[in-house]
Amino acid sequence: MAGLDVYALAAAVLMGLGFHGLVTQPHPLKRLLAVNVFGNGVFLALIVLARRLPDGPDPIPHAMVLTGIVIAVSATAFGLALVRRQAQDRERGDD
Amino acid sequence: MTLSLFDGLTALLLVILAWRCLVVPDLFRGIVLFVVFGLLLALTWARLDAPDLALAEAAIGAGILGVLLLGTWRALGSPRSGETPASSLSRWLQIASGLGSALLAGLVAWALHLVPGSEGGAGTLAVEELPLPATGQPVTAVLLDFRSYDTLLETAVLLMAVVGSWLARSSLLDAIAGNDATTDTPVVPALVRLFAPVLLVVGAYLVWAGAHSPGGAFQGGAVLAAAGVLMALGRVLGTAPNVGWLLRLLMVLGLLVFISAGLLLMPTEGSFMAYPERWAGLIMHLVEYALALSIALSLLLLFTGAPGLRRLG
Amino acid sequence: MTEMLPVLAVFLPMLGGVLVFLLGCGPRNAWSVLTVMLSLTPSLLLVQQVAAVGTVEHHLGGWAPPLGIRLMADGLSALMILLTAVVGGLVSMHALGHFAERANAARNFWVLWPLLWGSLNALFLSADLFNAYVTLELVTLAAIPLVLLAGSAQAVNAALRYLILALFGSMLYLAGVALVYGLIGTLDMQLAAERLSGAGWVLDLAAALMVTGLLVKAAIVPFHLWLPDAHGGAPAPVSALLSALVVKAAVYLLLRLWSGPLFEPLSQPAAAWLLAGLGVAAILYGSVQALRQRRLKLVVAYSTVAQLGYMLLLFPMAGLLAWQGVIYHGVAHGVAKAALFLAAGNILYQLGHDRIVDMRGSGSVLAISFGCFALAGVSIMGLPPSGGFLAKWLLLQGSLQAGAWWLALVILAGGLLAAGYVFRVLRAAFQVPDPDAEEKLPEVRHIGAMMRWPMLLLALTAIGLGFAGEPLLTLLGDVPGRLG
């Protein structure tokens, strides 16, 4: 098991990186990426925990992560539409 | 020991990719690094006994999201948005944020090390109950039976994201609706003719296979959407400024079938989304296909950024 | 029938939204009105059932927890669903008038708002930690596009900021849920409350992650930066829904967790006082900012920042009176704030602007709108007789009972500051114009009954809540969980 705990460590570091990116990056697209990195850290943590069940991987965290991925991608896609719109508004403002 | 070397390298590479993608000043490189990060994550899921997630991550997380990110990068267009500005925070605040993040990571890592895992809880039950429901695959059983309510609600999230993206479209864009985001090389249409049918078949297979092996509505839907994206790039599909009723119906088909099946059977079965044993398999397959269609269309519409679609040639 | 009501309260509104998505608002708004009926009926029936027989539960898919998800309507859920029905129903009526001339915006509103309604009910009924995450995301992703209906660049900026923070907030919450699931292997809130005792510092960390995520979502100072732009820039009915209901959804979940699985970590004095400290900061900062704003809608929006702070004062007091006071404050503020935003929206529509300095003398012309603003303002200030007074009275008693006299001082100071920003608006409006400038009374546009009555009814309800304490607090019942 000890060999696999590196993923738990990676999950924690991804969360830290995502948080730092969100605080320090000014560009909205970068901030969206940072939140996604943080989210992927959370997902990785869930999957690491799922493996600690002795009778095989726990399907519930797997389902949670699948749901989480769809929600995060939906929200990010909407965020990207807003980023595009913001850029257009800015260009129009410059004209 | 070879495996733990592999694990160590994968984990290290995940961290490095995430770090680089957030700090490189060039937006394009950041996006590419993020997509590579997503693909490595898919590999990680496969390594950690989560093949369902590996498929979903590759198709949705890295695939569709990557295409969306690159599309946005193109739309940002102007040269000055290529380089993202450096942080406006003062040096001390940045250091404080770094220390805070390190503290967060340390605490979470230590907690994850201590947490025992969920023995005897819902997970054990889910594995034990498995022979009963019509779906033989544990993750699909959780998604479509034990916790189908979450799955239903997340479909609504996707619908809201599409409506939100339509609202985010500036009215200015409608004036240049003919301006589809496509490449003009002759290679692309040829590739489309070659790959789009393959993707359609693979997508349909994944939905069907979800009952007994990795796959399901979300993975299949994302692959179907990828076929649509290819067709849009190859000018087989174009954007239209308005949504037809058929398109609207397809978009909410999954939601409608899912909710109606639950509500119609509720009086006889006693609870929402409980299905009679004889029909459960059929109903779940029906729900899966309807969901996959709606998911595919919604993801495709998120990519084209326009409310409607039309056939070009 | 009774056990089906929670399901219907979630999905009938959502089906209404899908109906409008497919068919539009219908001839003379027939489908929109049908949607409101579809949403109101199960909500009100459910509240009536809870009042009659107590907690109503539904095991989804026939699976009992920990395997399945449970819907649960107890007194707290019922009260929030009732608030959503009353505010939502009246704001819906206003929206029929407000969007009458904007067919496109109307259609989008009537797709998103019923979806939001169903999502709010889903959150209030959720008894599962992960399902609560899904419903929180539903609420957020239905609410943010509504902000965009204003169509301005400012609205786009606010929406993007809100989205990024909200997404981060829910991921923080989910990180906490992951740790809880790792500790005990269940997501059901009640089972979690039973199994989590003595879980040590990992539970503390989980609680910190979940609570921080919810504070980000609820726009508690210092995470409030997006709120004034979003709430102040959206169309009036949207502002009313966001301020009265949506930000409260995250606070609701915080209170639900406090009374359940997170009771132990949040009852430690350090955590309780930290949260109350944030509440105090929100009250003082939000009120002072509200006093300084030049535009009416921004005054109302900053007032929301302040009023949310009161709900965090619960934690160090932690008694029945404080519990009742905090929930009643949530309800009273919801109704009063919806009335304030509709009044501000009507004033903006009638005058063509909402600059406070240029409102001089308009009070006599717009007597009804400013009258409603004043009535709802009474409740916000906490003067008798009003819902706000009853809530503050309970909170004051609760704080004295808990020996936290300085919280009582903060509550009183918050009321004084609220009086300051409400009277500042009213003074500008009812200032007698200079006699030599008498002909310059502002020209105003007429508003129809559809936009006038909801505002009036909400303002009267805000006052009426001062007399409705008995039945509503009986419906709320005791603190669920251990405190009892």
Side-chain angles (χ1 to χ4, degrees), chain B residues 195-221:
Chain B
F195 281 119
V198 179
L199 282 177
L200 289 173
V201 173
V202 171
Y205 169 77
L206 279 177
V207 182
W208 174 77
H212 45 80
S213 56
F218 289 96
Q219 294 87 339

Side-chain angles (χ1 to χ4, degrees), chain C residues 215-308:
Chain C
L215 293 179
V216 170
K217 282 228 166 193
I220 300 296
V221 170
F223 308 114
H224 64 281
L225 288 169
W226 54 270
L227 186 143
D229 277 349
H231 290 201
V238 175
S239 307
L241 296 173
L242 291 180
S243 258
L245 306 174
V246 171
V247 279
K248 230 152 270 158
V251 181
Y252 159 83
L253 189 53
L254 183 59
L255 298 181
R256 170 71 74 197
L257 293 176
W258 170 79
S259 74
L262 297 188
F263 183 73
E264 265 180 28
L266 293 186
S267 297
Q268 295 163 20
W273 283 108
L274 185 64
L275 284 168
L278 286 177
V280 170
I283 294 171
L284 298 179
Y285 171 85
S287 304
V288 169
Q289 284 298 319
L291 270 171
R292 296 176 48 188
Q293 297 305 310
R294 297 199 184 125
R295 285 185 41 221
L296 180 56
K297 283 188 78 177
L298 284 175
V299 172
V300 185
Y302 270 106
S303 156
T304 299
V305 174
Q307 299 290 319
L308 283 170

